[in-house]
Amino acid sequence: MAANLSTLIAPFKLNQFQECFIQNRPFLVPEVHPAGIQKLLELPFLSSLESLLEHWTKSIQVHLPDLRDEASSLDTDSEGALSFFEQGMGLLFNDAQELSPVLESWIQGIKKDLGVSAMTYGRNLIYATPDGQGSAPHFDQNINFVLQIKGIKKWRVATNTHLINPLTR
């Protein structure tokens, strides 16, 4: 299957996603069909945190316990990241598409389906969060597509009643 937004949101259709986007509502696909993401699931570095740390050569962002968010973080290497993770801190691996053309093809396919310029900045982020932990409430100033590969995550999505169209976290 091609790497694109249509594959990711199946059995829903692009117009259903676009309707939610226009209305500024979250769009949820409760379960992605495994065949649609098979190439992602076959990436060796996505098989486990240990495998990801073995393949990762760049710095890793550690979300510190005071905010559990990118706004309070430090950078470390793979060895240090595992220690922080074992202490209950979340990890962020930026620009994962640099590890695999498969991830880059997903970015390009999604941009095409969205109808945005091929020059639009896109990237893959990989989060690893210890059991029972999470991120502090925040607003993301960009469009996000979250594909959870392992584990269980509880999402709390709320209407923003503090600022109209905020630009930062």
Side-chain angles (χ1 to χ4, degrees):
M1 290 187 152
N4 59 28
L5 182 57
S6 299
T7 301
L8 194 59
I9 67 171
F12 298 97
K13 302 294 180 205
L14 276 175
N15 66 333
Q16 293 172 288
F17 165 81
Q18 291 164 336
E19 185 178 318
C20 284
F21 181 79
I22 290 167
Q23 295 173 6
N24 200 24
R25 290 187 297 123
F27 183 81
L28 174 67
V29 179
E31 189 172 341
V32 175
H33 193 281
I37 59 168
Q38 189 61 41
K39 287 187 188 254
L40 292 176
L41 298 174
E42 292 171 355
L43 292 172
F45 60 88
L46 292 181
S47 65
S48 68
L49 177 57
E50 292 74 21
S51 181
L52 180 57
L53 290 168
E54 286 175 22
H55 286 85
W56 201 261
T57 59
K58 301 185 305 175
S59 66
I60 300 164
Q61 194 176 92
V62 177
H63 296 166
L64 300 174
D66 60 340
L67 289 182
R68 297 181 336 272
D69 184 75
E70 295 157 27
S72 178
S73 63
L74 60 82
D75 289 341
T76 189
D77 59 14
S78 291
E79 189 174 306
L82 184 57
S83 176
F84 284 112
F85 185 83
E86 289 169 345
Q87 294 174 54
M89 293 175 234
L91 307 176
L92 170 56
F93 301 80
N94 278 297
D95 296 311
Q97 73 279 2
E98 294 175 8
L99 278 180
S100 170
V102 172
L103 293 178
E104 181 60 38
S105 73
W106 275 90
I107 293 173
Q108 298 310 319
I110 289 171
K111 287 194 292 190
K112 183 176 180 184
D113 277 354
L114 289 175
V116 299
S117 166
M119 298 303 294
T120 301
Y121 178 62
R123 63 185 174 149
N124 294 120
L125 306 174
I126 299 175
Y127 289 89
T129 308
D131 287 344
Q133 301 298 317
S135 293
H138 65 277
F139 166 81
D140 288 332
Q141 67 270 22
N142 48 315
I143 298 170
N144 292 299
F145 297 93
V146 178
L147 177 61
Q148 185 166 334
I149 296 176
K150 293 186 182 206
I152 296 171
K153 184 173 185 125
K154 182 186 282 188
W155 288 84
R156 292 183 181 103
V157 179
T159 302
N160 172 13
T161 59
H162 304 288
L163 295 170
I164 298 171
N165 298 324
L167 300 176
T168 65
R169 298 176 81 77

